[in-house]
Amino acid sequence: MKTQLILLLSLVLLSAAPLWASSSRQQLIQESTLEQVIKNNRLRVGFSTFVPWAMKDKTGGFTGFEIEVARQLAQDMDVELELVPTRWSGIIPALLTGKFDIIIGGMGITPARNLKVNFSDPYEYSGMSILANRRLAGERSTLAEFNTPDVEIVARIGTTAAAAAERYLPEAKLRLFDDEGQALQELLNNRAAALVASQPFPEFQALRYQERLYLPLAGKTFTREPIGFAIRKGDPDFLNFLNNWIRLRFADGWLEQRYNYWFTTDDWRGQIE
């Protein structure tokens, strides 16, 4: 009798397992950010300002490569776009607490960040450049020449630029700022010898202030970093959609075209000045 009861319970459990699995799958689908975005007809994008990734325009809105990417992504999802400007130092915590659905902000993919968020496939690559003050840096033209205790370097806090400065220039004095504009002012005011930032910010500033600033590495970057969308963990449907969107927009040439516009020309300058 006991054996028969055990067999009966086993059969009941086995027959119910597919129903439980199906229910769990449906719950995951319904809880997906992708489904919530479609249901609410709104994609909330967290970003921070970096030239030319995202910048304030003349009208008080935002423009830049990342803004175009966000707009195209929302358009392809057939939903409204809500831009959520956020301090870079707190952008991952803001994502995790649900302030927005995705980070589209020139975020480099790193192991430390990947422990907290999931990244899409890279949709672009970036690299670090050095911008130097002619008066304070003198004739320095290599990384090694900037890697000395008497050299003061500035960078933006919480960025891969700051991490690159710590890794490649460990002997130099490093000061960090919330905004690249603040770091640039230190350079222009002769309070720092060099700035480390993602390409092409240093290149644009060297052109703008060529009598005071220069590019020690002759425009070359000293790192190569994959850039990806960041989303909350446990959302395979949203990640799948984003990866396929990236593949499509690489294949049709849209990502390359827009990158070239924002990073190899200054035709957009009139939008922000």
Side-chain angles (χ1 to χ4, degrees), residues 14-63:
L14 286 171
S15 63
L19 295 176
W20 292 340
S22 176
S23 177
S24 296
R25 283 195 298 269
Q26 288 302 315
Q27 185 177 355
L28 284 173
I29 291 170
Q30 292 304 315
E31 291 175 354
S32 167
T33 301
L34 181 62
E35 291 299 316
Q36 295 303 313
V37 166
I38 294 170
K39 178 182 176 182
N40 297 327
N41 191 39
R42 180 182 60 168
L43 177 67
R44 300 172 302 158
V45 173
F47 70 99
S48 194
T49 52
F50 291 88
V51 178
W53 304 88
M55 305 164 285
K56 272 283 186 76
D57 64 20
K58 287 179 176 179
T59 68
F62 292 94
T63 189

mmCIF file of all heavy atoms in Angstrom, residues 14-63:
data_model
loop_
_atom_site.group_PDB
_atom_site.id
_atom_site.type_symbol
_atom_site.label_atom_id
_atom_site.label_comp_id
_atom_site.label_asym_id
_atom_site.label_seq_id
_atom_site.Cartn_x
_atom_site.Cartn_y
_atom_site.Cartn_z
ATOM 1 N N LEU A 14 5.216 14.187 -11.538
ATOM 2 C CA LEU A 14 5.764 14.190 -12.894
ATOM 3 C C LEU A 14 4.820 14.853 -13.883
ATOM 4 O O LEU A 14 5.235 15.590 -14.774
ATOM 5 C CB LEU A 14 6.075 12.759 -13.339
ATOM 6 C CG LEU A 14 7.308 12.117 -12.696
ATOM 7 C CD1 LEU A 14 7.380 10.632 -13.058
ATOM 8 C CD2 LEU A 14 8.581 12.831 -13.134
ATOM 9 N N SER A 15 3.518 14.572 -13.723
ATOM 10 C CA SER A 15 2.543 15.160 -14.640
ATOM 11 C C SER A 15 2.388 16.661 -14.411
ATOM 12 O O SER A 15 2.072 17.423 -15.319
ATOM 13 C CB SER A 15 1.188 14.470 -14.483
ATOM 14 O OG SER A 15 0.674 14.664 -13.184
ATOM 15 N N ALA A 16 2.639 17.101 -13.174
ATOM 16 C CA ALA A 16 2.492 18.523 -12.862
ATOM 17 C C ALA A 16 3.731 19.336 -13.225
ATOM 18 O O ALA A 16 3.655 20.544 -13.434
ATOM 19 C CB ALA A 16 2.202 18.710 -11.369
ATOM 20 N N ALA A 17 4.884 18.667 -13.354
ATOM 21 C CA ALA A 17 6.143 19.372 -13.624
ATOM 22 C C ALA A 17 6.093 20.236 -14.867
ATOM 23 O O ALA A 17 6.518 21.395 -14.841
ATOM 24 C CB ALA A 17 7.298 18.371 -13.689
ATOM 25 N N PRO A 18 5.566 19.710 -15.995
ATOM 26 C CA PRO A 18 5.496 20.565 -17.183
ATOM 27 C C PRO A 18 4.635 21.804 -16.965
ATOM 28 O O PRO A 18 4.922 22.876 -17.498
ATOM 29 C CB PRO A 18 4.889 19.651 -18.245
ATOM 30 C CG PRO A 18 5.203 18.270 -17.776
ATOM 31 C CD PRO A 18 5.124 18.341 -16.289
ATOM 32 N N LEU A 19 3.556 21.653 -16.170
ATOM 33 C CA LEU A 19 2.686 22.795 -15.894
ATOM 34 C C LEU A 19 3.427 23.847 -15.079
ATOM 35 O O LEU A 19 3.321 25.044 -15.347
ATOM 36 C CB LEU A 19 1.438 22.332 -15.147
ATOM 37 C CG LEU A 19 0.497 21.400 -15.917
ATOM 38 C CD1 LEU A 19 -0.633 20.943 -15.006
ATOM 39 C CD2 LEU A 19 -0.075 22.116 -17.148
ATOM 40 N N TRP A 20 4.197 23.393 -14.059
ATOM 41 C CA TRP A 20 4.982 24.329 -13.260
ATOM 42 C C TRP A 20 6.030 25.040 -14.125
ATOM 43 O O TRP A 20 6.234 26.227 -14.012
ATOM 44 C CB TRP A 20 5.694 23.584 -12.121
ATOM 45 C CG TRP A 20 4.756 23.049 -11.081
ATOM 46 C CD1 TRP A 20 3.469 23.448 -10.842
ATOM 47 C CD2 TRP A 20 5.039 22.018 -10.144
ATOM 48 N NE1 TRP A 20 2.928 22.729 -9.810
ATOM 49 C CE2 TRP A 20 3.861 21.841 -9.356
ATOM 50 C CE3 TRP A 20 6.142 21.221 -9.873
ATOM 51 C CZ2 TRP A 20 3.789 20.902 -8.333
ATOM 52 C CZ3 TRP A 20 6.092 20.289 -8.849
ATOM 53 C CH2 TRP A 20 4.910 20.126 -8.088
ATOM 54 N N ALA A 21 6.709 24.263 -14.985
ATOM 55 C CA ALA A 21 7.734 24.846 -15.857
ATOM 56 C C ALA A 21 7.129 25.875 -16.792
ATOM 57 O O ALA A 21 7.677 26.955 -16.999
ATOM 58 C CB ALA A 21 8.426 23.743 -16.659
ATOM 59 N N SER A 22 5.970 25.527 -17.353
ATOM 60 C CA SER A 22 5.294 26.453 -18.264
ATOM 61 C C SER A 22 4.884 27.720 -17.534
ATOM 62 O O SER A 22 5.034 28.829 -18.044
ATOM 63 C CB SER A 22 4.068 25.778 -18.871
ATOM 64 O OG SER A 22 3.352 26.671 -19.682
ATOM 65 N N SER A 23 4.375 27.557 -16.321
ATOM 66 C CA SER A 23 3.968 28.707 -15.512
ATOM 67 C C SER A 23 5.150 29.592 -15.191
ATOM 68 O O SER A 23 5.063 30.825 -15.246
ATOM 69 C CB SER A 23 3.302 28.227 -14.226
ATOM 70 O OG SER A 23 2.972 29.313 -13.402
ATOM 71 N N SER A 24 6.289 28.972 -14.861
ATOM 72 C CA SER A 24 7.503 29.738 -14.540
ATOM 73 C C SER A 24 7.994 30.517 -15.752
ATOM 74 O O SER A 24 8.403 31.678 -15.637
ATOM 75 C CB SER A 24 8.606 28.798 -14.052
ATOM 76 O OG SER A 24 8.228 28.174 -12.849
ATOM 77 N N ARG A 25 7.943 29.866 -16.921
ATOM 78 C CA ARG A 25 8.369 30.547 -18.145
ATOM 79 C C ARG A 25 7.480 31.751 -18.434
ATOM 80 O O ARG A 25 7.960 32.826 -18.794
ATOM 81 C CB ARG A 25 8.347 29.577 -19.325
ATOM 82 C CG ARG A 25 9.520 28.608 -19.365
ATOM 83 C CD ARG A 25 9.641 27.950 -20.719
ATOM 84 N NE ARG A 25 8.468 27.159 -21.041
ATOM 85 C CZ ARG A 25 8.325 25.861 -20.753
ATOM 86 N NH1 ARG A 25 9.291 25.240 -20.087
ATOM 87 N NH2 ARG A 25 7.230 25.208 -21.073
ATOM 88 N N GLN A 26 6.186 31.575 -18.279
ATOM 89 C CA GLN A 26 5.250 32.673 -18.524
ATOM 90 C C GLN A 26 5.487 33.822 -17.553
ATOM 91 O O GLN A 26 5.407 35.000 -17.923
ATOM 92 C CB GLN A 26 3.806 32.172 -18.403
ATOM 93 C CG GLN A 26 3.363 31.279 -19.544
ATOM 94 C CD GLN A 26 3.486 31.966 -20.898
ATOM 95 O OE1 GLN A 26 3.103 33.119 -21.049
ATOM 96 N NE2 GLN A 26 4.038 31.259 -21.872
ATOM 97 N N GLN A 27 5.809 33.476 -16.305
ATOM 98 C CA GLN A 27 6.076 34.515 -15.318
ATOM 99 C C GLN A 27 7.324 35.301 -15.684
ATOM 100 O O GLN A 27 7.351 36.533 -15.579
ATOM 101 C CB GLN A 27 6.235 33.903 -13.924
ATOM 102 C CG GLN A 27 6.408 34.959 -12.821
ATOM 103 C CD GLN A 27 6.489 34.336 -11.436
ATOM 104 O OE1 GLN A 27 6.319 33.137 -11.282
ATOM 105 N NE2 GLN A 27 6.753 35.171 -10.446
ATOM 106 N N LEU A 28 8.368 34.586 -16.126
ATOM 107 C CA LEU A 28 9.600 35.249 -16.541
ATOM 108 C C LEU A 28 9.351 36.187 -17.709
ATOM 109 O O LEU A 28 9.882 37.303 -17.769
ATOM 110 C CB LEU A 28 10.667 34.210 -16.920
ATOM 111 C CG LEU A 28 11.351 33.482 -15.766
ATOM 112 C CD1 LEU A 28 12.242 32.371 -16.306
ATOM 113 C CD2 LEU A 28 12.174 34.456 -14.933
ATOM 114 N N ILE A 29 8.550 35.734 -18.665
ATOM 115 C CA ILE A 29 8.231 36.560 -19.830
ATOM 116 C C ILE A 29 7.507 37.828 -19.406
ATOM 117 O O ILE A 29 7.835 38.933 -19.838
ATOM 118 C CB ILE A 29 7.382 35.762 -20.849
ATOM 119 C CG1 ILE A 29 8.240 34.656 -21.485
ATOM 120 C CG2 ILE A 29 6.804 36.676 -21.925
ATOM 121 C CD1 ILE A 29 7.444 33.669 -22.318
ATOM 122 N N GLN A 30 6.514 37.673 -18.531
ATOM 123 C CA GLN A 30 5.728 38.821 -18.094
ATOM 124 C C GLN A 30 6.563 39.811 -17.282
ATOM 125 O O GLN A 30 6.312 41.012 -17.309
ATOM 126 C CB GLN A 30 4.524 38.345 -17.263
ATOM 127 C CG GLN A 30 3.491 37.578 -18.062
ATOM 128 C CD GLN A 30 2.962 38.375 -19.250
ATOM 129 O OE1 GLN A 30 2.648 39.557 -19.116
ATOM 130 N NE2 GLN A 30 2.858 37.728 -20.402
ATOM 131 N N GLU A 31 7.560 39.305 -16.550
ATOM 132 C CA GLU A 31 8.393 40.168 -15.723
ATOM 133 C C GLU A 31 9.548 40.787 -16.497
ATOM 134 O O GLU A 31 10.253 41.659 -15.980
ATOM 135 C CB GLU A 31 8.943 39.379 -14.536
ATOM 136 C CG GLU A 31 7.869 38.992 -13.515
ATOM 137 C CD GLU A 31 8.417 38.116 -12.404
ATOM 138 O OE1 GLU A 31 9.606 37.728 -12.492
ATOM 139 O OE2 GLU A 31 7.672 37.828 -11.454
ATOM 140 N N SER A 32 9.753 40.363 -17.736
ATOM 141 C CA SER A 32 10.850 40.878 -18.540
ATOM 142 C C SER A 32 10.722 42.386 -18.746
ATOM 143 O O SER A 32 9.623 42.913 -18.952
ATOM 144 C CB SER A 32 10.864 40.188 -19.908
ATOM 145 O OG SER A 32 11.708 40.856 -20.808
ATOM 146 N N THR A 33 11.854 43.076 -18.711
ATOM 147 C CA THR A 33 11.852 44.512 -18.997
ATOM 148 C C THR A 33 11.305 44.781 -20.382
ATOM 149 O O THR A 33 10.595 45.768 -20.605
ATOM 150 C CB THR A 33 13.280 45.075 -18.888
ATOM 151 O OG1 THR A 33 13.773 44.839 -17.569
ATOM 152 C CG2 THR A 33 13.311 46.570 -19.173
ATOM 153 N N LEU A 34 11.623 43.895 -21.315
ATOM 154 C CA LEU A 34 11.125 44.042 -22.682
ATOM 155 C C LEU A 34 9.605 44.104 -22.697
ATOM 156 O O LEU A 34 9.005 44.976 -23.348
ATOM 157 C CB LEU A 34 11.622 42.880 -23.539
ATOM 158 C CG LEU A 34 11.208 42.878 -25.017
ATOM 159 C CD1 LEU A 34 11.749 44.104 -25.727
ATOM 160 C CD2 LEU A 34 11.676 41.598 -25.697
ATOM 161 N N GLU A 35 8.952 43.196 -21.974
ATOM 162 C CA GLU A 35 7.492 43.180 -21.931
ATOM 163 C C GLU A 35 6.945 44.424 -21.237
ATOM 164 O O GLU A 35 5.927 44.981 -21.658
ATOM 165 C CB GLU A 35 7.007 41.922 -21.192
ATOM 166 C CG GLU A 35 7.266 40.631 -21.938
ATOM 167 C CD GLU A 35 6.567 40.593 -23.285
ATOM 168 O OE1 GLU A 35 5.388 40.977 -23.356
ATOM 169 O OE2 GLU A 35 7.215 40.195 -24.268
ATOM 170 N N GLN A 36 7.618 44.868 -20.192
ATOM 171 C CA GLN A 36 7.171 46.064 -19.475
ATOM 172 C C GLN A 36 7.306 47.317 -20.341
ATOM 173 O O GLN A 36 6.445 48.200 -20.315
ATOM 174 C CB GLN A 36 7.974 46.238 -18.176
ATOM 175 C CG GLN A 36 7.752 45.133 -17.153
ATOM 176 C CD GLN A 36 6.282 44.986 -16.766
ATOM 177 O OE1 GLN A 36 5.610 45.973 -16.481
ATOM 178 N NE2 GLN A 36 5.803 43.757 -16.773
ATOM 179 N N VAL A 37 8.383 47.381 -21.104
ATOM 180 C CA VAL A 37 8.585 48.523 -22.007
ATOM 181 C C VAL A 37 7.472 48.577 -23.042
ATOM 182 O O VAL A 37 6.889 49.640 -23.307
ATOM 183 C CB VAL A 37 9.964 48.425 -22.702
ATOM 184 C CG1 VAL A 37 10.056 49.395 -23.881
ATOM 185 C CG2 VAL A 37 11.079 48.707 -21.699
ATOM 186 N N ILE A 38 7.159 47.428 -23.629
ATOM 187 C CA ILE A 38 6.099 47.373 -24.635
ATOM 188 C C ILE A 38 4.739 47.700 -24.006
ATOM 189 O O ILE A 38 3.944 48.457 -24.561
ATOM 190 C CB ILE A 38 6.083 45.990 -25.315
ATOM 191 C CG1 ILE A 38 7.375 45.795 -26.112
ATOM 192 C CG2 ILE A 38 4.862 45.843 -26.217
ATOM 193 C CD1 ILE A 38 7.585 44.396 -26.625
ATOM 194 N N LYS A 39 4.495 47.127 -22.832
ATOM 195 C CA LYS A 39 3.216 47.357 -22.142
ATOM 196 C C LYS A 39 3.026 48.831 -21.789
ATOM 197 O O LYS A 39 1.929 49.384 -21.946
ATOM 198 C CB LYS A 39 3.172 46.501 -20.871
ATOM 199 C CG LYS A 39 1.900 46.693 -20.050
ATOM 200 C CD LYS A 39 1.963 45.846 -18.778
ATOM 201 C CE LYS A 39 0.741 46.095 -17.892
ATOM 202 N NZ LYS A 39 0.819 45.312 -16.640
ATOM 203 N N ASN A 40 4.092 49.468 -21.327
ATOM 204 C CA ASN A 40 4.007 50.872 -20.900
ATOM 205 C C ASN A 40 4.238 51.856 -22.042
ATOM 206 O O ASN A 40 4.127 53.073 -21.850
ATOM 207 C CB ASN A 40 5.022 51.150 -19.786
ATOM 208 C CG ASN A 40 4.742 50.345 -18.534
ATOM 209 O OD1 ASN A 40 3.598 50.069 -18.206
ATOM 210 N ND2 ASN A 40 5.804 49.952 -17.838
ATOM 211 N N ASN A 41 4.596 51.310 -23.219
ATOM 212 C CA ASN A 41 4.873 52.140 -24.402
ATOM 213 C C ASN A 41 5.951 53.189 -24.102
ATOM 214 O O ASN A 41 5.877 54.337 -24.546
ATOM 215 C CB ASN A 41 3.602 52.829 -24.895
ATOM 216 C CG ASN A 41 3.797 53.475 -26.262
ATOM 217 O OD1 ASN A 41 4.464 52.917 -27.128
ATOM 218 N ND2 ASN A 41 3.232 54.658 -26.456
ATOM 219 N N ARG A 42 6.992 52.772 -23.374
ATOM 220 C CA ARG A 42 8.013 53.725 -22.966
ATOM 221 C C ARG A 42 9.322 53.010 -22.664
ATOM 222 O O ARG A 42 9.349 52.041 -21.895
ATOM 223 C CB ARG A 42 7.546 54.485 -21.723
ATOM 224 C CG ARG A 42 8.532 55.518 -21.213
ATOM 225 C CD ARG A 42 8.014 56.191 -19.965
ATOM 226 N NE ARG A 42 7.797 55.230 -18.884
ATOM 227 C CZ ARG A 42 7.562 55.561 -17.623
ATOM 228 N NH1 ARG A 42 7.458 56.840 -17.279
ATOM 229 N NH2 ARG A 42 7.381 54.638 -16.708
ATOM 230 N N LEU A 43 10.413 53.471 -23.282
ATOM 231 C CA LEU A 43 11.750 52.976 -22.988
ATOM 232 C C LEU A 43 12.491 54.076 -22.236
ATOM 233 O O LEU A 43 12.734 55.155 -22.771
ATOM 234 C CB LEU A 43 12.503 52.631 -24.276
ATOM 235 C CG LEU A 43 13.957 52.159 -24.094
ATOM 236 C CD1 LEU A 43 13.999 50.803 -23.378
ATOM 237 C CD2 LEU A 43 14.674 52.085 -25.434
ATOM 238 N N ARG A 44 12.850 53.790 -20.980
ATOM 239 C CA ARG A 44 13.553 54.763 -20.149
ATOM 240 C C ARG A 44 15.057 54.489 -20.219
ATOM 241 O O ARG A 44 15.511 53.410 -19.851
ATOM 242 C CB ARG A 44 13.066 54.679 -18.705
ATOM 243 C CG ARG A 44 11.571 54.950 -18.533
ATOM 244 C CD ARG A 44 11.122 54.660 -17.111
ATOM 245 N NE ARG A 44 11.412 53.273 -16.753
ATOM 246 C CZ ARG A 44 11.531 52.821 -15.503
ATOM 247 N NH1 ARG A 44 11.397 53.651 -14.479
ATOM 248 N NH2 ARG A 44 11.775 51.552 -15.265
ATOM 249 N N VAL A 45 15.800 55.472 -20.699
ATOM 250 C CA VAL A 45 17.230 55.300 -20.953
ATOM 251 C C VAL A 45 18.044 56.175 -20.012
ATOM 252 O O VAL A 45 17.893 57.407 -19.992
ATOM 253 C CB VAL A 45 17.569 55.652 -22.416
ATOM 254 C CG1 VAL A 45 19.087 55.643 -22.631
ATOM 255 C CG2 VAL A 45 16.893 54.671 -23.363
ATOM 256 N N GLY A 46 18.910 55.546 -19.238
ATOM 257 C CA GLY A 46 19.830 56.265 -18.374
ATOM 258 C C GLY A 46 21.120 56.564 -19.105
ATOM 259 O O GLY A 46 21.649 55.717 -19.834
ATOM 260 N N PHE A 47 21.641 57.778 -18.937
ATOM 261 C CA PHE A 47 22.883 58.166 -19.604
ATOM 262 C C PHE A 47 23.519 59.314 -18.830
ATOM 263 O O PHE A 47 22.899 59.926 -17.956
ATOM 264 C CB PHE A 47 22.611 58.606 -21.046
ATOM 265 C CG PHE A 47 21.888 59.926 -21.139
ATOM 266 C CD1 PHE A 47 22.573 61.108 -21.390
ATOM 267 C CD2 PHE A 47 20.508 59.997 -20.944
ATOM 268 C CE1 PHE A 47 21.911 62.320 -21.452
ATOM 269 C CE2 PHE A 47 19.841 61.207 -20.998
ATOM 270 C CZ PHE A 47 20.536 62.374 -21.249
ATOM 271 N N SER A 48 24.765 59.590 -19.152
ATOM 272 C CA SER A 48 25.465 60.741 -18.606
ATOM 273 C C SER A 48 26.133 61.464 -19.772
ATOM 274 O O SER A 48 26.367 60.864 -20.822
ATOM 275 C CB SER A 48 26.501 60.305 -17.578
ATOM 276 O OG SER A 48 26.961 61.404 -16.819
ATOM 277 N N THR A 49 26.431 62.739 -19.612
ATOM 278 C CA THR A 49 26.967 63.499 -20.736
ATOM 279 C C THR A 49 28.462 63.255 -20.933
ATOM 280 O O THR A 49 29.250 63.373 -19.994
ATOM 281 C CB THR A 49 26.720 65.006 -20.542
ATOM 282 O OG1 THR A 49 27.205 65.403 -19.254
ATOM 283 C CG2 THR A 49 25.239 65.323 -20.638
ATOM 284 N N PHE A 50 28.813 62.896 -22.153
ATOM 285 C CA PHE A 50 30.190 62.757 -22.618
ATOM 286 C C PHE A 50 30.205 63.252 -24.064
ATOM 287 O O PHE A 50 29.320 62.882 -24.850
ATOM 288 C CB PHE A 50 30.649 61.284 -22.640
ATOM 289 C CG PHE A 50 30.811 60.639 -21.296
ATOM 290 C CD1 PHE A 50 29.736 60.010 -20.677
ATOM 291 C CD2 PHE A 50 32.038 60.622 -20.659
ATOM 292 C CE1 PHE A 50 29.880 59.378 -19.459
ATOM 293 C CE2 PHE A 50 32.196 60.002 -19.430
ATOM 294 C CZ PHE A 50 31.121 59.373 -18.823
ATOM 295 N N VAL A 51 31.191 64.041 -24.432
ATOM 296 C CA VAL A 51 31.325 64.488 -25.815
ATOM 297 C C VAL A 51 32.009 63.388 -26.618
ATOM 298 O O VAL A 51 33.049 62.881 -26.203
ATOM 299 C CB VAL A 51 32.161 65.786 -25.880
ATOM 300 C CG1 VAL A 51 32.356 66.231 -27.316
ATOM 301 C CG2 VAL A 51 31.500 66.892 -25.061
ATOM 302 N N PRO A 52 31.463 62.997 -27.801
ATOM 303 C CA PRO A 52 30.191 63.398 -28.392
ATOM 304 C C PRO A 52 29.099 62.340 -28.176
ATOM 305 O O PRO A 52 28.165 62.248 -28.958
ATOM 306 C CB PRO A 52 30.548 63.500 -29.873
ATOM 307 C CG PRO A 52 31.475 62.335 -30.080
ATOM 308 C CD PRO A 52 32.261 62.200 -28.779
ATOM 309 N N TRP A 53 29.228 61.545 -27.135
ATOM 310 C CA TRP A 53 28.254 60.480 -26.870
ATOM 311 C C TRP A 53 26.881 61.058 -26.546
ATOM 312 O O TRP A 53 25.867 60.630 -27.113
ATOM 313 C CB TRP A 53 28.734 59.596 -25.718
ATOM 314 C CG TRP A 53 30.081 59.000 -25.920
ATOM 315 C CD1 TRP A 53 31.288 59.558 -25.595
ATOM 316 C CD2 TRP A 53 30.392 57.736 -26.515
ATOM 317 N NE1 TRP A 53 32.315 58.715 -25.944
ATOM 318 C CE2 TRP A 53 31.796 57.590 -26.494
ATOM 319 C CE3 TRP A 53 29.617 56.697 -27.029
ATOM 320 C CZ2 TRP A 53 32.446 56.461 -26.994
ATOM 321 C CZ3 TRP A 53 30.257 55.561 -27.515
ATOM 322 C CH2 TRP A 53 31.646 55.457 -27.502
ATOM 323 N N ALA A 54 26.843 62.024 -25.619
ATOM 324 C CA ALA A 54 25.586 62.670 -25.238
ATOM 325 C C ALA A 54 25.916 64.063 -24.739
ATOM 326 O O ALA A 54 26.780 64.229 -23.876
ATOM 327 C CB ALA A 54 24.861 61.868 -24.170
ATOM 328 N N MET A 55 25.215 65.080 -25.291
ATOM 329 C CA MET A 55 25.528 66.470 -24.965
ATOM 330 C C MET A 55 24.248 67.295 -24.937
ATOM 331 O O MET A 55 23.287 66.964 -25.620
ATOM 332 C CB MET A 55 26.469 67.057 -26.026
ATOM 333 C CG MET A 55 27.748 66.273 -26.245
ATOM 334 S SD MET A 55 28.572 66.749 -27.798
ATOM 335 C CE MET A 55 27.508 65.927 -29.011
ATOM 336 N N LYS A 56 24.267 68.371 -24.153
ATOM 337 C CA LYS A 56 23.170 69.322 -24.167
ATOM 338 C C LYS A 56 23.196 70.080 -25.492
ATOM 339 O O LYS A 56 24.262 70.523 -25.934
ATOM 340 C CB LYS A 56 23.314 70.317 -23.023
ATOM 341 C CG LYS A 56 22.682 69.885 -21.711
ATOM 342 C CD LYS A 56 21.169 70.059 -21.769
ATOM 343 C CE LYS A 56 20.517 69.769 -20.417
ATOM 344 N NZ LYS A 56 20.704 70.867 -19.475
ATOM 345 N N ASP A 57 22.030 70.244 -26.121
ATOM 346 C CA ASP A 57 21.983 71.009 -27.366
ATOM 347 C C ASP A 57 21.449 72.425 -27.121
ATOM 348 O O ASP A 57 21.152 72.803 -25.983
ATOM 349 C CB ASP A 57 21.176 70.277 -28.434
ATOM 350 C CG ASP A 57 19.704 70.117 -28.063
ATOM 351 O OD1 ASP A 57 19.211 70.866 -27.202
ATOM 352 O OD2 ASP A 57 19.050 69.224 -28.639
ATOM 353 N N LYS A 58 21.335 73.190 -28.187
ATOM 354 C CA LYS A 58 20.918 74.593 -28.068
ATOM 355 C C LYS A 58 19.512 74.751 -27.506
ATOM 356 O O LYS A 58 19.178 75.772 -26.919
ATOM 357 C CB LYS A 58 20.971 75.255 -29.445
ATOM 358 C CG LYS A 58 22.356 75.531 -29.966
ATOM 359 C CD LYS A 58 22.257 76.171 -31.342
ATOM 360 C CE LYS A 58 23.605 76.562 -31.872
ATOM 361 N NZ LYS A 58 23.518 77.162 -33.232
ATOM 362 N N THR A 59 18.675 73.753 -27.713
ATOM 363 C CA THR A 59 17.276 73.853 -27.303
ATOM 364 C C THR A 59 17.047 73.421 -25.865
ATOM 365 O O THR A 59 15.927 73.475 -25.360
ATOM 366 C CB THR A 59 16.393 73.000 -28.223
ATOM 367 O OG1 THR A 59 16.692 71.604 -28.014
ATOM 368 C CG2 THR A 59 16.624 73.342 -29.690
ATOM 369 N N GLY A 60 18.115 72.946 -25.201
ATOM 370 C CA GLY A 60 17.965 72.451 -23.837
ATOM 371 C C GLY A 60 17.736 70.954 -23.777
ATOM 372 O O GLY A 60 17.627 70.376 -22.702
ATOM 373 N N GLY A 61 17.661 70.322 -24.946
ATOM 374 C CA GLY A 61 17.530 68.872 -25.010
ATOM 375 C C GLY A 61 18.900 68.217 -25.093
ATOM 376 O O GLY A 61 19.906 68.803 -24.688
ATOM 377 N N PHE A 62 18.937 67.004 -25.637
ATOM 378 C CA PHE A 62 20.193 66.273 -25.725
ATOM 379 C C PHE A 62 20.418 65.769 -27.142
ATOM 380 O O PHE A 62 19.472 65.450 -27.874
ATOM 381 C CB PHE A 62 20.192 65.092 -24.751
ATOM 382 C CG PHE A 62 20.206 65.510 -23.311
ATOM 383 C CD1 PHE A 62 19.016 65.626 -22.605
ATOM 384 C CD2 PHE A 62 21.397 65.822 -22.677
ATOM 385 C CE1 PHE A 62 19.015 66.023 -21.278
ATOM 386 C CE2 PHE A 62 21.405 66.216 -21.344
ATOM 387 C CZ PHE A 62 20.216 66.322 -20.639
ATOM 388 N N THR A 63 21.691 65.720 -27.517
ATOM 389 C CA THR A 63 22.070 65.197 -28.817
ATOM 390 C C THR A 63 23.382 64.432 -28.655
ATOM 391 O O THR A 63 24.040 64.517 -27.630
ATOM 392 C CB THR A 63 22.216 66.335 -29.845
ATOM 393 O OG1 THR A 63 22.376 65.778 -31.154
ATOM 394 C CG2 THR A 63 23.427 67.218 -29.535
#
